[in-house]
Amino acid sequence: MVSPPGVGLDVGGVTRKLRDRRNSRGFRGLKRSWRRHWQLYLLILVPIAYFVIFKYIPMANAIIAFKDYNVIDGVWGSDWAGVKHFERFFNNPMFWPVLRNTFILSAYVVLASFPIPIILALALNEVRLRFFKNTVQMVTYAPYFISTVVVVSMTILFLSPRLGIAGHVTQFFGLGSIDFLSDPEFFRHIYVFSDIWQTMGYSAVIYLAALAGIDPTLYEAARVDGATRWQKIRNVDLPGIMPTAMIVLVLGVGNVMAIGFEKAYLLQNSLNISQSEIIATYTYKVGLLSADFSQAAAIGLFNGVINLGLLLGVNAIVKRLTGNGLW
C-alpha cells in the first residue's frame, strides 16, 4: 500500500499511542477505584499477605528435596543431590502401601462426605418449623468447632472395648467385646464417619446458601405446575446447587492426597498401622523423628504434584461435562 504524497504511515507510533492511552486509562481507573473502595483493598491485604508469606515464599525452600540438606550449611549451601531422594522413596518397600492407603482413605472421605451435606441441606430447606430447623443446624454445625484432638479422644472413649458405649452394645447383642481401634479393617470407617460427623453441618451451610440464591419464581412456576416436593427438589433445587456442588467436588478431589495428618496419627497404633500409615504420617516420621529433611521434602513435593495433577484433571473433566469449574 502506497501512502499519498506528504502523508507518512507511522504504524508503530500509532500503536504506542494507543497502548499509552490504555495504560493511562487503566491507571486512572485504578486510582479512582482505590479512592472509592480503599477500605476493601485494605481488608483483603491481610489474607493476601498471609498467603504470600506463609504459602508462596516457603515454596522456595522445597529445593531441599533436591539437596543433601544439613543444618550447618543451610538450604542454599547444601550439596546438590539431584533426584536421589525421590528414587529412594520410589524404591522404598513402604512406597506402594503408603500410597495405596492414602489414596483409598482420601477417596473414601470424598465419596462418603460429598453427598451427605447435600442431603442435609435439602432436608433442612424443606423444613418449615423454624425452631426445629435452627436446632438441627446448631446440633450438626457445633462439632465443627471441636478440635481434632478432642474428637479423637471422644472416639477412643466411645469405641473402648471395656468402657465405651460401643463395647456395651456389642456385648448386649452377644457379639462379645470388639476392639475397633486395634482392628485395621475398622480404621478407615472410624476415620471417615467421625470426619462426616464433624464437618457435615459446616458443609451443609454452603449448600443452604446456594439454595437461598435460587430464583423464587422457579418455585412459583413449579407450584403452579403442580410439582410435588420431590419433583421440586429434583428439577429446581438440585440444578440450582449443582455449580456449587461441582466446585466443592473439584476442591475435594484436588486434596485427595492431602488427607489430614492429625486424626490419622492420633488414631494410629501398632496394630492398625497396615492401613493407618499414610503419606502425611510417614513424612512426619521421616522428617521429624528421623531428621531426614531432604527425604521428607521429596515425599511432600511428590504428594503436592499428585494433588495438582488431580485438581487440573478433575477440573477439566467437570468443566467439560457440566460447564462449571474453578476456572
Side-chain angles (χ1 to χ4, degrees), residues 147-215:
S147 68
T148 303
V149 176
V150 175
V151 171
V152 172
S153 300
M154 294 169 60
T155 304
I156 292 174
L157 290 174
F158 181 81
L159 298 176
S160 175
R162 294 176 55 190
L163 304 175
I165 299 176
H168 293 295
V169 172
T170 55
Q171 289 179 2
F172 177 80
F173 286 100
L175 300 176
S177 181
I178 302 176
D179 192 354
F180 295 96
L181 298 172
S182 299
D183 191 339
E185 298 300 325
F186 289 107
F187 171 79
R188 291 174 183 145
H189 305 300
I190 295 171
Y191 185 101
V192 171
F193 286 101
S194 63
D195 188 76
I196 292 174
W197 172 77
Q198 187 177 11
T199 61
M200 67 176 180
Y202 173 81
S203 301
V205 172
I206 301 174
Y207 298 110
L208 286 171
L211 288 169
I214 297 177
D215 190 353

Side-chain angles (χ1 to χ4, degrees), residues 305-324:
V305 171
I306 295 297
N307 275 328
L308 179 61
L310 288 172
L311 177 63
L312 296 176
V314 172
N315 183 74
I317 294 173
V318 169
K319 191 171 183 179
R320 179 178 293 272
L321 295 178
T322 65
N324 301 304

Side-chain angles (χ1 to χ4, degrees), residues 32-208:
R32 185 164 52 251
S33 177
W34 169 260
R35 286 195 300 267
R36 291 180 179 178
H37 311 294
W38 62 270
Q39 299 95 336
L40 298 178
Y41 285 112
L42 290 179
L43 188 64
I44 67 173
L45 186 61
V46 174
I48 290 177
Y50 166 78
F51 279 101
V52 170
I53 296 173
F54 296 103
K55 300 295 183 181
Y56 288 97
I57 294 179
M59 287 182 183
N61 292 328
I63 198 174
I64 68 174
F66 303 95
K67 291 192 171 189
D68 286 325
Y69 173 76
N70 64 79
V71 179
I72 298 176
D73 294 332
V75 175
W76 302 100
S78 301
D79 296 330
W80 285 98
V83 295
K84 179 181 73 174
H85 301 294
F86 292 94
E87 293 176 350
R88 284 176 54 198
F89 179 53
F90 297 152
N91 296 326
N92 193 315
M94 289 296 297
F95 172 71
W96 286 112
V98 167
L99 186 65
R100 182 180 63 250
N101 290 340
T102 304
F103 183 79
I104 293 176
L105 182 60
S106 302
Y108 190 2
V109 170
V110 172
L111 294 177
S113 62
F114 175 68
I116 292 180
I118 297 177
I119 296 172
L120 177 61
L122 292 173
L124 289 175
N125 192 53
E126 293 298 316
V127 174
R128 295 296 175 261
L129 187 59
R130 183 175 296 274
F131 175 77
F132 179 77
K133 180 178 180 179
N134 293 339
T135 302
V136 173
Q137 278 189 276
M138 182 186 66
V139 171
T140 56
Y141 191 80
Y144 183 78
F145 297 98
I146 303 176
S147 68
T148 303
V149 176
V150 175
V151 171
V152 172
S153 300
M154 294 169 60
T155 304
I156 292 174
L157 290 174
F158 181 81
L159 298 176
S160 175
R162 294 176 55 190
L163 304 175
I165 299 176
H168 293 295
V169 172
T170 55
Q171 289 179 2
F172 177 80
F173 286 100
L175 300 176
S177 181
I178 302 176
D179 192 354
F180 295 96
L181 298 172
S182 299
D183 191 339
E185 298 300 325
F186 289 107
F187 171 79
R188 291 174 183 145
H189 305 300
I190 295 171
Y191 185 101
V192 171
F193 286 101
S194 63
D195 188 76
I196 292 174
W197 172 77
Q198 187 177 11
T199 61
M200 67 176 180
Y202 173 81
S203 301
V205 172
I206 301 174
Y207 298 110
L208 286 171

Side-chain angles (χ1 to χ4, degrees), residues 288-309:
L288 295 182
L289 300 186
S290 300
D292 193 348
F293 301 110
S294 295
Q295 179 71 23
I299 298 172
L301 188 59
F302 166 77
N303 193 28
V305 171
I306 295 297
N307 275 328
L308 179 61

